[in-house]
Amino acid sequence: MKLFKYLLCAMLFTSFNSFAQDDVTTEREQGHTNQNKFKQLYEEFSTPNMFRTGSGAPGPGYYQQQADYKMDIEIDDDKAKLYGEETITYTNNSPDELKYLWVQLDQNVRAKDSKTPLISNSVVRPVTTSSNAVTSYLKESFDGGFHIDEVKDVKGKDLAHMINRTMMRVELPKPMQSGDQFSFQIKWWYNINDHVKDGGRSGYEYFEENDNRAYVIAQFYPRMAVYNDVEGWQNSQFWGRDEFALPFGNFDVNITVPADHILDGTGVLTNREEVFTKDMMKRYNKAKKSYDEPVMIVTQDEAEKAEKSKSKKKKTWKLSAKMVRDFGFSTSRKFLWDMMAVKLGDKDVMAVSLYPKEGNPLWEQWSTKAVASTLKSYSRMTFDYPYHKAISVHAKQQGMEYPMICWNYGRPDKKGNYSDRTKYGMISVIIHEVGHNWFPMIINSDERQWTWMDEGLNTFTQYVAEQDFGEWHPGALSPNDKAYPSRRGPAKNIVRYMGGNQDYIAPIMTKGLNTYQFGNNAYSKPATALNILRETIMGRDLFDYSFSEYANRWKFKHPTPEDFFRTMEDASAVDLDWFWRGWFYSTDYTDIGIKEVKKFAVTSTPNESGNRIAKRNNIDPKDLVYFIEEGSEGYDESIKNGVAIDNLPTVKEYIMDNFTPAEQKEMNETPKFFYEVTFNKPGGLVMPLIVEYTYADGTKKRETYPAQIWRLNDKEVSKAIASNKEIVGVMVDPDLETADVDTSNNVWPKEVKESDFDKFKEKVRN
């Protein structure tokens, strides 16, 4: 076998070299720049510096700013208004002098003069619903923007400030030098929106039957913008879709609500014994020791009783959080509340759910268990969850995340019935939103610029966590499902998008606001890319080690895309520039097929090509090994005579002269069949070539040729194959691992009707 491979390579090299010489033309082509798909990403990447190294790790000069908040918040439940006062202490850890500070006013996206509606396309449709007609043409726009009453220093002196839509510039009395701190105060209020009717990432849902609201409150306070080494102030306007970039800091927040409300949010509840009843405290202490089933802190009977009346008294809940980038909370008298402990490493974390009775029985069955499962899966893939709790809040039509708390959809009908779609949808959104605690709440990427860095990485890890959940909780699976039916992650699920109209597809490396098909671009495609990278290209061990290295390098820091790309290569010794370029910087798609398969037989009869080669190299034609292609004169006779390569006199002589007896003994499988398989690549995306060969005896062999096989010819490549068994079928990407958009060219021969191809087509259809 070794001899054959040597001779065959020599033969192919000689013939290809001869072909190249014969094909020289008199007219030379113009030169060109390097357009190779394997070109390194030096032009796309920033030059490493003292802040961010070429390895993808933070550099010796890396810094980040800190913003600490002390807040007093009150919700007027009758008028659905939020009032707040805050003191912000800003620390300048940068080496730069700062003349002013930028503060985000994200609620202004709902201000009456908001320009967000003006950038969206709108048309008059021939028919629409009555509600849509009223909302679009008759209803006055909701005034949900911030009303800033005061901006002062801590001595009560007014600070000059300017509001530009969703950003406010605060002028400093004197420039801040490196290491300086500055404290200032803001007083504000705003009308809370009905997020069910008017949309938005936070707000309230109104329950008409008992005149109650359930609040999910976020972006409720003026928040410091990020200042970093990449672009200085990140003061890009909030248009409503691409989310937030925020610095880390410490929060002390007092929230006053009606006395009969149940409330939870970011941070440690520091006055638990003041706001809990004795029964609630007993149940809470029990929950801290319950690792298998949630413990009800507030029961459904208690919640239903509370929603029938309204207290005129008030209660203040005090929350304190360290090293978080944001703050959110939820409150209502309608809430049931359950908790369960989760063991992570050497500490316990509390998995928590808040939901109105409208969420049951689904939420009581699966919400907190989904939280607990997520904490375990994400900790395994990255690092142990560092906070003391993770909360899932039921909110209609919501899916949004904040440190330690998130809101999630999924509601049964009024009789408590729900479909598989509702159940899986609820579990998946909980996994996704709880997972955002890692991306971007801790691994604090810039969502405003690179949406995929939080949504895509999180959706990939969500897929891993969903599969874990299905394995750990088989009772949650429907009878027909052997594994959790993840919507995003598997390669075949992205095929329709990848092969779609190029006019409406943007590269992943596009600012979130400007992408077409936001869900596919920011969530599905990067998640699929990483899943392919893990399963098909790198392997789980290399990928998981590198992914964890990235997470640990950049937890509680501000990574960029390049930091991720570089770390994945640095920790694995796998050159992935070709992969990042194809999947993240282009809209290329995968289409790899079989162009042709040629069969050859060994013959002892010299041919014309051999005579030319022998003459050119001054050797005896009898010293060459000859191959004859199927369909050529003499092929059938060679097959009939069964000429074996190791029976040729010159081959025997070569073996005797060049191989030891032990090596000769290894040559026990004489190849009888020879093939030249040519694979083509109509698609632009470089991917590994995964091939399954089927033999006449029904056995199969799988071969994965690395993506580098395309490095010298991006259009087609050929592989010479010697086999002691006849090949009757060749299939490219048999398990649909590469998101191939056209599988009609993936099988040879075209007319194959064996059960394997039928199964293959069934995979494609599904």
Side-chain angles (χ1 to χ4, degrees):
M1 286 297 288
K2 293 179 181 176
L3 170 65
F4 167 70
K5 291 177 181 177
Y6 168 81
L7 293 172
L8 184 59
C9 288
M11 180 195 74
L12 292 174
F13 174 80
T14 303
S15 62
F16 290 158
N17 187 49
S18 175
F19 172 78
Q21 290 178 351
D22 293 341
D23 199 46
V24 171
T25 60
T26 57
E27 183 177 344
R28 294 186 182 277
E29 295 181 357
Q30 294 293 321
H32 62 276
T33 58
N34 187 354
Q35 300 298 315
N36 193 288
K37 297 292 179 68
F38 292 87
K39 177 184 175 183
Q40 298 301 105
L41 286 166
Y42 291 126
E43 294 176 6
E44 290 82 358
F45 283 6
S46 300
T47 303
N49 52 46
M50 64 184 294
F51 306 114
R52 297 167 193 271
T53 68
S55 70
Y62 176 81
Y63 71 87
Q64 59 191 39
Q65 311 290 66
Q66 182 167 332
D68 299 325
Y69 301 82
K70 292 184 182 296
M71 281 189 267
D72 290 298
I73 305 297
E74 182 169 354
I75 287 183
D76 183 333
D77 190 32
D78 293 329
K79 298 180 180 178
K81 294 179 182 289
L82 183 146
Y83 298 88
E85 297 182 30
E86 68 181 348
T87 297
I88 303 174
T89 299
Y90 189 76
T91 303
N92 180 19
N93 293 318
S94 80
D96 307 327
E97 177 184 276
L98 302 179
K99 294 176 59 179
Y100 44 76
L101 305 178
W102 279 103
V103 178
Q104 301 184 60
L105 303 178
D106 302 298
Q107 286 294 334
N108 282 358
V109 76
R110 280 192 284 272
K112 296 201 76 169
D113 61 352
S114 172
K115 295 187 182 299
T116 293
L118 303 182
I119 69 169
S120 299
N121 187 53
S122 59
V123 298
V124 177
R125 300 186 181 280
V127 63
T128 188
T129 63
S130 300
S131 60
N132 187 59
V134 171
T135 301
S136 300
Y137 307 118
L138 302 177
K139 185 180 178 182
E140 186 175 355
S141 60
F142 175 74
D143 181 12
F146 280 118
H147 295 262
I148 304 296
D149 292 334
E150 297 176 357
V151 181
K152 298 177 180 291
D153 65 17
V154 291
K155 295 181 179 179
K157 184 177 180 180
D158 289 338
L159 290 174
H161 59 281
M162 181 277 299
I163 296 176
N164 175 17
R165 297 187 55 247
T166 62
M167 298 299 301
M168 178 170 68
R169 189 182 66 229
V170 178
E171 305 295 339
L172 293 167
K174 65 176 183 178
M176 291 184 72
Q177 304 303 317
S178 181
D180 284 355
Q181 281 190 336
F182 179 73
S183 296
F184 63 107
Q185 300 171 335
I186 304 176
K187 184 178 180 180
W188 77 96
W189 66 273
Y190 70 89
N191 295 310
I192 304 173
N193 57 298
D194 182 333
H195 68 74
V196 177
K197 292 182 177 179
D198 300 322
R201 289 169 168 78
S202 67
Y204 66 81
E205 177 182 0
Y206 180 65
F207 295 86
E208 187 175 4
E209 65 177 350
N210 45 50
D211 188 29
N212 271 298
R213 295 185 177 93
Y215 295 91
V216 286
I217 302 296
Q219 294 87 246
F220 64 92
Y221 62 101
R223 309 184 292 177
M224 289 303 306
V226 166
Y227 183 89
N228 63 24
D229 61 283
V230 179
E231 55 192 332
W233 284 109
Q234 167 47 294
N235 54 7
S236 179
Q237 295 283 345
F238 179 47
W239 291 93
R241 185 168 75 175
D242 44 349
E243 294 172 13
F244 315 109
L246 299 161
F248 287 105
N250 302 319
F251 288 73
D252 288 301
V253 184
N254 302 323
I255 308 170
T256 301
V257 294
D260 51 0
H261 270 217
I262 296 299
L263 182 148
D264 208 348
T266 304
V268 176
L269 182 59
T270 60
N271 66 334
R272 188 179 303 274
E273 293 189 355
E274 295 178 19
V275 295
F276 271 34
T277 65
K278 290 182 179 180
D279 285 341
M280 290 169 66
M281 282 301 303
K282 289 179 182 178
R283 297 165 185 169
Y284 172 72
N285 289 325
K286 180 181 178 182
K288 290 195 293 184
K289 299 177 182 179
S290 176
Y291 298 93
D292 298 319
E293 293 293 332
V295 174
M296 298 303 304
I297 309 300
V298 176
T299 68
Q300 183 158 332
D301 287 343
E302 291 167 339
E304 289 181 354
K305 181 179 179 180
E307 71 182 11
K308 294 176 181 177
S309 61
K310 294 184 178 180
S311 174
K312 298 298 182 181
K313 297 180 180 180
K314 298 178 181 180
K315 184 184 291 185
T316 299
W317 300 66
K318 299 180 179 181
L319 293 160
S320 180
K322 305 297 182 186
M323 202 60 176
V324 295
R325 60 164 246 170
D326 201 1
F327 193 99
F329 68 94
S330 187
T331 182
S332 177
R333 61 178 56 87
K334 287 179 62 67
F335 281 152
L336 289 72
W337 202 357
D338 70 48
M339 302 182 188
M340 182 177 76
V342 183
K343 179 68 71 177
L344 294 176
D346 58 356
K347 72 171 188 177
D348 290 342
V349 174
M350 198 70 82
V352 183
S353 292
L354 286 169
Y355 45 97
K357 68 177 188 296
E358 284 77 6
N360 263 345
L362 180 60
W363 273 69
E364 187 172 316
Q365 290 171 336
W366 294 116
S367 175
T368 297
K369 289 183 178 179
V371 175
S373 182
T374 305
L375 294 174
K376 294 176 183 177
S377 293
Y378 275 71
S379 294
R380 172 172 59 85
M381 291 295 292
T382 56
F383 48 78
D384 283 349
Y385 185 70
Y387 301 129
H388 74 291
K389 67 181 176 184
I391 311 164
S392 168
V393 182
H394 175 52
K396 190 175 183 179
Q397 299 172 12
Q398 282 288 342
M400 196 58 200
E401 73 282 352
Y402 304 91
M404 305 182 216
I405 189 169
C406 57
W407 356 118
N408 305 297
Y409 57 77
R411 181 172 294 181
D413 63 23
K414 292 184 177 180
K415 295 182 179 179
N417 300 314
Y418 55 86
S419 64
D420 285 348
R421 181 176 181 179
T422 298
K423 176 185 64 178
Y424 285 133
M426 183 206 76
I427 294 171
S428 287
V429 74
I430 290 173
I431 292 173
H432 183 89
E433 305 304 345
V434 172
H436 270 308
N437 276 286
W438 281 265
F439 311 98
M441 298 301 152
I442 299 170
I443 305 164
N444 192 8
S445 56
D446 183 351
E447 298 178 80
R448 190 64 52 86
Q449 294 286 21
W450 306 115
T451 307
W452 72 267
M453 283 199 74
D454 72 287
E455 297 296 359
L457 268 65
N458 187 45
T459 302
F460 158 73
T461 319
Q462 172 193 342
Y463 170 73
V464 175
E466 286 174 344
Q467 298 309 302
D468 285 346
F469 184 86
E471 182 180 340
W472 297 341
H473 298 281
L477 298 180
S478 300
N480 295 329
D481 295 323
K482 295 180 180 179
Y484 193 98
S486 296
R487 184 165 66 98
R488 289 167 168 154
K492 65 179 183 178
N493 293 1
I494 197 67
V495 166
R496 182 175 295 178
Y497 168 72
M498 296 286 284
N501 187 340
Q502 286 285 325
D503 291 339
Y504 299 99
I505 299 177
I508 291 174
M509 290 293 290
T510 301
K511 183 178 170 67
L513 180 68
N514 304 328
T515 61
Y516 296 100
Q517 302 188 59
F518 188 70
N520 282 320
N521 182 281
Y523 295 70
S524 299
K525 186 180 177 183
T528 300
L530 295 179
N531 194 40
I532 290 173
L533 193 60
R534 183 181 190 235
E535 301 291 352
T536 303
I537 296 169
M538 295 177 72
R540 289 190 178 186
D541 288 345
L542 274 179
F543 180 94
D544 290 358
Y545 181 91
S546 305
F547 193 72
S548 176
E549 181 67 14
Y550 164 73
N552 280 278
R553 282 180 177 182
W554 290 98
K555 62 183 177 183
F556 298 109
K557 295 182 177 69
H558 301 274
T560 67
E562 292 157 39
D563 298 322
F564 175 67
F565 297 149
R566 284 171 162 156
T567 295
M568 292 298 292
E569 297 190 33
D570 179 68
S572 67
V574 180
D575 184 352
L576 294 169
D577 283 22
W578 61 271
F579 184 82
W580 310 131
R581 172 177 283 108
W583 277 91
F584 288 79
Y585 288 88
S586 83
T587 61
D588 283 347
Y589 53 83
T590 307
D591 183 10
I592 299 173
I594 303 167
K595 182 179 180 181
E596 63 178 345
V597 177
K598 295 180 180 179
K599 295 182 181 180
F600 294 86
V602 175
T603 177
S604 58
T605 304
N607 57 35
E608 193 173 319
S609 296
N611 290 331
R612 286 201 308 267
I613 293 171
K615 185 177 181 180
R616 183 184 304 153
N617 294 280
N618 195 28
I619 58 177
D620 189 336
K622 295 181 180 179
D623 289 338
L624 297 175
V625 176
Y626 297 90
F627 294 87
I628 186 169
E629 185 178 352
E630 182 182 33
S632 301
E633 185 178 352
Y635 175 84
D636 292 338
E637 184 178 350
S638 295
I639 292 293
K640 182 179 179 180
N641 294 336
V643 179
I645 191 170
D646 60 352
N647 285 330
L648 297 176
T650 56
V651 173
K652 284 184 176 181
E653 183 179 342
Y654 186 89
I655 292 174
M656 296 289 291
D657 292 344
N658 293 278
F659 291 85
T660 67
E663 288 175 322
Q664 293 178 39
K665 191 175 181 180
E666 290 180 6
M667 300 177 186
N668 56 3
E669 291 188 353
T670 301
K672 302 182 181 67
F673 302 93
F674 304 92
Y675 302 88
E676 181 184 294
V677 184
T678 300
F679 304 94
N680 61 354
K681 190 167 73 64
L685 202 58
V686 172
M687 290 295 285
L689 177 56
I690 307 168
V691 186
E692 184 176 84
Y693 299 101
T694 300
Y695 300 100
D697 63 0
T699 60
K700 301 176 187 294
K701 179 184 177 182
R702 185 77 59 91
E703 192 74 66
T704 298
Y705 304 100
Q708 283 75 9
I709 194 173
W710 305 102
R711 70 198 187 283
L712 300 180
N713 188 334
D714 193 51
K715 300 300 181 184
E716 63 179 52
V717 294
S718 296
K719 296 301 294 183
I721 299 167
S723 173
N724 67 333
K725 297 187 291 185
E726 183 183 5
I727 295 176
V728 296
V730 183
M731 186 180 295
V732 170
D733 194 13
D735 291 333
L736 306 178
E737 297 177 60
T738 66
D740 195 317
V741 303
D742 180 7
T743 56
S744 66
N745 58 355
N746 285 35
V747 177
W748 173 88
K750 293 288 186 182
E751 65 275 10
V752 69
K753 296 180 181 179
E754 286 120 343
S755 60
D756 282 346
F757 187 41
D758 293 337
K759 293 176 182 177
F760 180 73
K761 290 189 292 184
E762 185 65 24
K763 290 180 186 176
V764 175
R765 283 195 295 269
N766 292 338

